[in-house]
Each structure stands twice: as structure tokens, then as C-alpha cells.
Amino acid sequence: MGNLFCCVQVDQSTVAISEQFGKFDEVLEPGCHCLPWFLGKQLAGHLSLRVQQLDVRCETKTKDNVFVTVVASIQYRALAERANDAFYKLSNTRGQIQAYVFDVIRASVPKLLLDDTFEQKNDIAKAVENELEKAMSHYGYEIVQTLIVDIEPDEHVKRAMNEINAAARMRVAATDKAEAEKILQIKRAEGEAESKYLSGLGIARQRQAIVDGLRDSVIGFSENVPGTSAKDVMDMVLVTQYFDTMKEIGAASKSSAIFIPHGPGAVRDVASQIREGLLQANNAH
């Protein structure tokens, strides 16, 4: 009906291209327009001004000979003031953009190592955007945004990279574990040394107390029993200790059989041996 009355409707965010006798006439803004067909005017087509997105997958090789697939997302739109260029100069806008993306990515990525490619993906996206902006501006298009959304190495390469990372983390964990065990051993050794020191200190004090007690006993016995010497008192103490020891050995339920010389002469020999040991120790000092 609109064509019958020479009227056309242009929707919002869209422009229309009108021709007269096959030649570009004007760009029609959104709204209702009259195109009298009897004057040779006709509607050539519509052009969307909305932002469009094109995802491009490009396979290339890095500097260290690793094949990767780079996924770029290009957001672009036609410029209303240059709608005639966007409509007439390009027949396949998406194919043209894809060709430029391939060209820039395959020129940039082979200069980078695989790790650098991941780190410098923003630089790659900027290079693609600059090249597209220069090229597509001649055709009435604006590049809104360019993103490198993914870099996909070969599956075997990804598996190898994961194994390398896992090995590195295990190495760090093993180092930390060894360091912790080292600290534990040092602390354990310090604790044992401190324990032995305190044990030795206790034994020394115990022996000192025994010696002090024996000395007091000898002095007290000599004073209370006239005619006894220190030697007599020591012999008696040794005999007492000897019988106490025999008693303890006999009372122990799990003690093994011990054969030792027994009798008054044996006690005298033990006392003589102890005295000689003490004398030798004193002479050595």
C-alpha cells in the first residue's frame, strides 16, 4: 500500500538509501518518506546503525612454534553521515573485517612467544583495532571495540603446560615441607639437648646431696660413737647400701639372674674398690 502511494517507512536506528533513475539520491532518516515512482525515485535498501559484533577465529603460530587459535571479537557500526559509502562501497562487510583481523593477528603473534602472547593480548587487540579503524573508516564504518577474548593452544600443549605448572607447585610444596621438617628436627634436637642438660643437672644435684648426706652422717657418727674413724663409718655405709641393693634385686619380679660374689670378704672387696676409685679420681684432679 505504501508503494502504491509512493510512501516508505524507515525504522528507528536504521537509514534508507533512495535512488533516482538508478543513481544515489539521498539518505532517508527514520520516519515516513514519499518517493514518487513516476519521477524515477525508488528505495535501494536499508542500512542498520546498530552496533554489530563479529567473532573471528584465527589459527596461527607463535615464535616458539606453537599453534594457537586466537578468538577476536569485533564490534562495529555504520556511520549515519556516511551511510552512502557504507551501503555502496562494501558488498561483504563481515568478510572484509575478517580479512583484516587475519592479517594483523598473523603478523603480530608469530613475533611473540606463547607466554608473551597471553600477556600481551591487549596489545594484539589494540593493533587489530588500529588497523581496522584505518581501513574501515574509508567505507563509512566505525570500529567501536576490539577484544581478544580467547587464546587456545593445541590440546597437547595445554596438557603439557598444566603438567609443568603442577610440577612447579609440587616442587615448591616439597621445599616447604622439607623446610618445615628441618625446623621440627632442630626444635626437637634443641628440646632433647635441653632435657639432657636438665637431667644431668638433676643427677649432679642428687649426687651432691648424697655426698653431703654421707658427710654429715660420717661426722655425726664419729662424734656420737667414740673410737670410730671415718673409714669405719664408710665401710658400714657401703655394707648398708650393698644389702639394700641385694634386697631390691631380689624383690624385683622381672629381674634377671645376677651372679655376684657374696660374703663379708666380697663386701670388703667392694668397699676397697670404691675407695681406690675415689682416690684415683682425686689424684687425677
Side-chain angles (χ1 to χ4, degrees), residues 15-79:
V15 293
I17 306 298
S18 69
E19 297 178 344
Q20 187 173 19
F21 298 112
K23 182 181 178 181
F24 170 72
D25 182 39
E26 62 177 334
V27 177
L28 304 179
E29 300 290 338
C32 184
H33 300 271
C34 181
L35 295 178
W37 56 269
F38 50 86
L39 295 180
K41 291 191 175 184
Q42 63 177 357
L43 186 66
H46 293 82
L47 181 67
S48 176
L49 300 180
R50 296 176 180 176
V51 175
Q52 303 179 62
Q53 179 167 311
L54 173 64
D55 293 329
V56 181
R57 298 178 62 88
C58 177
E59 185 178 15
T60 185
K61 185 177 69 171
T62 62
K63 188 176 182 179
D64 46 354
N65 297 321
V66 177
F67 282 92
V68 295
T69 299
V70 181
V71 182
S73 180
I74 313 300
Q75 298 174 356
Y76 66 98
R77 66 181 176 184
L79 297 173

Side-chain angles (χ1 to χ4, degrees), residues 23-280:
K23 182 181 178 181
F24 170 72
D25 182 39
E26 62 177 334
V27 177
L28 304 179
E29 300 290 338
C32 184
H33 300 271
C34 181
L35 295 178
W37 56 269
F38 50 86
L39 295 180
K41 291 191 175 184
Q42 63 177 357
L43 186 66
H46 293 82
L47 181 67
S48 176
L49 300 180
R50 296 176 180 176
V51 175
Q52 303 179 62
Q53 179 167 311
L54 173 64
D55 293 329
V56 181
R57 298 178 62 88
C58 177
E59 185 178 15
T60 185
K61 185 177 69 171
T62 62
K63 188 176 182 179
D64 46 354
N65 297 321
V66 177
F67 282 92
V68 295
T69 299
V70 181
V71 182
S73 180
I74 313 300
Q75 298 174 356
Y76 66 98
R77 66 181 176 184
L79 297 173
E81 62 273 15
R82 300 190 58 187
N84 58 328
D85 291 335
F87 186 80
Y88 287 106
K89 288 187 176 182
L90 280 180
S91 61
N92 185 358
T93 304
R94 299 173 74 87
Q96 185 81 358
I97 292 175
Q98 183 172 331
Y100 280 109
V101 172
F102 281 173
D103 181 65
V104 176
I105 290 179
R106 288 174 176 168
S108 301
V109 174
K111 300 177 182 178
L112 302 173
L113 299 175
L114 179 60
D115 292 340
D116 296 336
T117 303
F118 283 96
E119 294 174 359
Q120 300 182 27
K121 69 174 187 175
N122 291 335
D123 296 335
I124 299 173
K126 192 65 178 177
V128 173
E129 183 175 343
N130 291 339
E131 188 66 24
L132 284 176
E133 189 69 38
K134 289 189 296 184
M136 300 305 294
S137 61
H138 296 294
Y139 303 108
Y141 282 92
E142 176 190 10
I143 304 301
V144 179
Q145 184 76 15
T146 301
L147 302 172
I148 301 297
V149 296
D150 198 8
I151 299 175
E152 302 175 356
D154 181 76
E155 189 64 30
H156 298 291
V157 176
K158 287 197 290 186
R159 189 180 302 111
M161 292 174 66
N162 290 334
E163 291 176 355
I164 292 173
N165 290 333
R169 293 179 183 275
M170 290 178 65
R171 184 167 59 251
V172 172
T175 302
D176 293 342
K177 182 179 180 181
E179 188 67 23
E181 291 179 351
K182 175 183 176 182
I183 294 174
L184 287 175
Q185 291 178 358
I186 292 174
K187 294 299 182 182
R188 190 180 298 114
E190 291 177 352
E192 291 178 355
E194 184 69 17
S195 175
K196 291 179 179 178
Y197 169 76
L198 295 176
S199 177
L201 188 60
I203 292 173
R205 289 177 177 175
Q206 180 186 16
R207 291 176 177 173
Q208 183 64 41
I210 293 173
V211 171
D212 292 341
L214 289 174
R215 184 180 65 248
D216 294 340
S217 298
V218 170
I219 294 173
F221 194 86
S222 299
E223 291 177 352
N224 294 327
V225 181
T228 59
S229 64
K231 177 180 177 301
D232 297 332
V233 176
M234 286 301 300
D235 288 341
M236 186 183 68
V237 171
L238 289 175
V239 169
T240 303
Q241 293 291 331
Y242 176 80
F243 282 109
D244 288 341
T245 303
M246 295 296 294
K247 179 180 177 182
E248 291 179 0
I249 293 175
S253 59
K254 296 183 180 179
S255 60
S256 302
I258 300 177
F259 296 94
I260 59 175
H262 180 61
V267 175
R268 186 171 56 253
D269 293 339
V270 172
S272 299
Q273 292 174 10
I274 293 175
R275 279 195 303 273
E276 290 176 1
L278 291 174
L279 291 174
Q280 291 176 3

